[in-house]
Amino acid sequence: MPDDPPSGPPKPTRRTFLLTTGTSAAAAVVAACAPGHPKTTPGQSAAPAGPAEGPSVEGAVPITLRINGKDHALRVDPRTTLLDCIRETVALTGTKKGCDHGQCGACTVHVNGRRVNSCLSLALMHDGEEITTIEGLGTPDALHPMQAAFVAFDGYQCGYCTSGQIMSAVALLKEPCGPDDAAVKELMSGNICRCGAYPNIVAAVQQVRKNA
Ligand code: FES
């Protein structure tokens, strides 16, 4: 007499397991490469933060950021950093992403006049606040004195950290800071320059402080 048929779902074999997971992985890769798939970077949420009038994003919340004197009505994924919002959603790319971990200072912007590492702050937290980026500091024809000093003192080499350096240096002018170079170095220590232009940067900051 034949055995009774097995009851319940069949147990997966090694072959069916590999077939299933292989298909899922391939589908994920195809989806990531498909046109229109949101571009992400490590640590960034997969859901893009679009403008209010853009495609709807599940769980997105409406916020208004006042950036460089202009109001931006946005819908953002609550996990979006201020840095990604500024660069990817508002398309102001002067603010740079270096480490994305709060260690290099390349992403420095001003929030209500104070410097912050925008990679460490969520856009959602700044609803209604005043953001200043390097684009809002000066213009090519009318540089901010700090921008002019960085040019005069050769305070940049590759330029990648420069916007963050300048934003920090401008904020420093309003912070308690001793008169000597050591005090400036201490307050600028959160901004890393991989080219090592530190003496030139300090000279530029001191020049602006002297003329302020
Ligand atoms: S990118 Fe924000 S501190 Fe490095």
Side-chain angles (χ1 to χ4, degrees):
M1 184 172 169
D3 293 341
D4 290 337
S7 61
K11 289 205 176 98
T13 63
R14 182 170 178 275
R15 170 182 283 270
T16 55
F17 173 78
L18 290 174
L19 278 171
T20 308
T21 53
T23 308
S24 303
V29 171
V30 169
C33 297
H37 187 276
K39 198 171 68 175
T40 60
T41 54
Q44 183 186 8
S45 65
E53 65 274 17
S56 68
V57 178
E58 191 178 349
V61 292
I63 61 170
T64 300
L65 298 181
R66 187 163 181 80
I67 304 177
N68 302 331
K70 183 177 167 199
D71 284 335
H72 294 264
L74 310 165
R75 289 187 68 82
V76 297
D77 184 311
R79 298 164 292 182
T80 305
T81 64
L82 180 60
L83 173 60
D84 285 340
C85 182
I86 289 170
R87 287 182 54 85
E88 309 287 338
T89 308
V90 186
L92 291 172
T93 54
T95 305
K96 302 303 183 201
K97 181 183 283 190
C99 64
D100 209 18
H101 283 81
Q103 295 171 347
C104 73
C107 64
T108 305
V109 299
H110 297 174
V111 176
N112 296 333
R114 301 185 67 179
R115 54 176 158 164
V116 302
N117 286 341
S118 58
C119 71
L120 289 185
S121 197
L122 296 174
L124 183 65
M125 298 161 57
H126 301 291
D127 186 20
E129 295 191 328
E130 188 94 32
I131 317 287
T132 306
T133 69
I134 190 73
E135 290 92 342
L137 218 53
T139 66
D141 296 329
L143 294 176
H144 184 282
M146 193 62 75
Q147 291 172 312
F150 267 64
V151 173
F153 286 86
D154 224 4
Y156 56 91
Q157 301 298 315
C158 78
Y160 197 81
C161 71
T162 307
S163 58
Q165 299 275 2
I166 290 175
M167 295 309 287
S168 261
V170 170
L172 177 153
L173 298 175
K174 294 183 239 156
E175 298 170 5
C177 180
D180 53 8
D181 288 357
V184 173
K185 288 179 190 170
E186 177 65 24
L187 288 189
M188 292 294 291
S189 62
N191 290 80
I192 308 297
C193 172
R194 60 186 171 185
C195 303
Y198 295 114
N200 309 46
I201 292 170
V202 172
V205 175
Q206 290 290 49
Q207 175 70 23
V208 177
R209 296 180 80 204
K210 202 169 83 183
N211 295 339

